[in-house]
Amino acid sequence: MSRPVMIAPSVLPADFSRLGEEVAALEAAGVDLIQWDVMDGQFVPNLTFGPDVIASTRDRCTLPFEAHLMVLTPDAMAKDYVEAGCSRLIVHAEAVTHLHRTLGAIADLGASPAVALNPATPASAVTHVLDLVDLVLVMTVNPGFGGQDYLPTMESKVAEVRRMLVDAGRSDDVHVEVDGGIGPDTVAGAAAAGANVLVAGSSLFRDPEGLEHAVSDLRSRAEAARGGTTARA
Ligand code: DX5
């Protein structure tokens, strides 16, 4: 598990009337990248950020942006989100017919391709695309909303994906990310299982001691759980 611990805030719980200030505050609080939860109201029952919203904040933060595309048509949307300033696009294996082709098309756009797995989707769904991605996202909630309870049963899938990457000789090149219900009480289990990129929304924004404390606390708990190293993106 040599990939560094990275904290990736979801801006889903942020103040949408001040997104520019919010991403700047997240950078100041010490996060490693920003995750945009893109939802189309079809793949998941919620509607969120279009590319123009993301583009409007791009110059307010120097960190990488990744778009978590919880949408039914990622092939049609990919170019717009790359042009909006997202350097990684995460597509759901469940949303596309030709995942291998979709990931290759994202790479052709100059972005880092990544794949997400819903809780019921087996790790085996990514067996034949591990050579195409720089990140595998194991969802630890059913996608669509923030503030849901963490699914500890996903830890075995995190460990399985990490093992698959080791067996494929890709463990030093591919991040394992978790998203959903990640906070002080759940991050250790996910990190110990093999996750190194930790997406958190509610637990960061609701910390009474503020964002910087929340980010630092989450990072130290993850590092302690895996005894690993950490690095800013
Ligand atoms: C689910 C979303 C959430 C969000 C973070 O579709 O992807 O997981 O990023 O949610 P919480 O508030 O649980 O950290």
Side-chain angles (χ1 to χ4, degrees):
M1 289 190 283
S2 61
R3 301 260 71 193
V5 167
M6 301 175 83
I7 306 300
S10 160
V11 294
L12 206 56
D15 178 349
F16 286 7
S17 72
R18 300 188 312 109
L19 279 174
E21 293 92 304
E22 296 277 67
V23 296
L26 285 164
E27 180 167 19
V31 302
D32 296 292
L33 64 146
I34 305 283
Q35 184 185 91
W36 293 89
D37 283 310
V38 177
M39 303 181 188
D40 65 0
Q42 300 182 76
F43 182 71
V44 292
N46 199 351
L47 193 57
T48 59
F49 312 109
D52 291 349
V53 171
I54 296 172
S56 73
T57 71
R58 182 59 276 183
D59 64 359
R60 302 295 301 275
C61 169
T62 65
L63 298 175
F65 284 178
E66 67 177 25
H68 176 192
L69 297 175
M70 290 167 273
V71 301
L72 279 182
T73 57
D75 296 289
M77 295 181 172
K79 184 170 181 290
D80 290 343
Y81 281 91
V82 172
E83 289 177 355
C86 297
S87 52
R88 174 181 295 128
L89 300 187
I90 306 172
V91 300
H92 270 263
E94 307 87 356
V96 293
T97 306
H98 303 288
L99 178 61
H100 191 284
R101 178 186 293 154
T102 296
L103 293 168
I106 290 169
D108 290 344
L109 289 169
S112 297
V115 58
L117 300 172
N118 282 336
T121 305
S124 60
V126 298
T127 302
H128 301 293
V129 295
L130 293 179
D131 59 318
L132 300 180
V133 299
D134 89 321
L135 180 143
V136 177
L137 166 52
V138 177
M139 290 301 294
T140 46
V141 295
N142 287 292
F145 300 92
Q148 300 180 82
D149 291 340
Y150 174 76
L151 298 172
T153 51
M154 293 299 110
E155 290 174 7
S156 59
K157 190 193 306 184
V158 171
E160 183 179 358
V161 169
R162 178 57 71 186
R163 279 195 306 274
M164 289 165 62
L165 289 167
V166 170
D167 293 347
R170 298 276 291 147
S171 193
D172 288 343
D173 306 307
V174 181
H175 298 285
V176 178
E177 180 173 282
V178 289
D179 178 356
I182 299 297
D185 299 332
T186 59
V187 66
N196 72 288
V197 184
L198 307 150
V199 175
S202 308
S203 67
L204 296 186
F205 284 90
R206 75 182 172 207
D207 187 323
E209 295 188 57
L211 281 175
E212 190 165 355
H213 172 267
V215 173
S216 165
D217 180 60
L218 207 61
R219 188 187 302 280
S220 56
R221 289 174 188 268
E223 284 178 344
R226 63 193 290 266
T229 58
T230 185
R232 292 288 296 267

